Amino acid sequence: VVWIRDGSWDQVTVVHELAHVATAPGDRSGPHGERFATTLLICWRELLGVHAYGALRSALDDHGVPYRRDRLT
């Protein structure tokens, strides 16, 4: 089940929440840790397109957010 408040049903929010569902539990760095960031990048590339993916990846890099580069191929 995914709960999204009224007025927040946009593509970015839905894909973000789906990435939470798709991320295997157990990430010691928390709900927005390395596993989540990796899953989010994969979802963004597949569902929002390569330009959105590139923008997100650049933003994660700029903020030092860890993700598994080897899983993005």
Side-chain angles (χ1 to χ4, degrees), residues 8-40:
S8 295
W9 283 90
D10 58 45
Q11 289 178 330
V12 170
T13 301
V14 172
V15 172
H16 174 102
E17 295 305 327
L18 289 174
H20 278 296
V21 173
T23 302
D27 190 347
R28 294 182 182 184
S29 59
H32 292 109
E34 182 179 272
R35 287 183 189 175
F36 170 78
T38 304
T39 303
L40 183 63

Side-chain angles (χ1 to χ4, degrees), residues 3 10-11 15 17 24-25 27 29-32 34 37 39 42 44-46 51 53 56 61-62 65 68 70-71:
W3 294 95
D10 58 45
Q11 289 178 330
V15 172
E17 295 305 327
D27 190 347
S29 59
H32 292 109
E34 182 179 272
T39 303
I42 293 166
W44 274 49
R45 184 179 62 212
E46 294 298 319
H51 295 293
Y53 164 78
L56 177 62
D61 288 340
D62 289 348
V65 176
R68 296 283 308 267
D70 61 316
R71 301 252 171 115

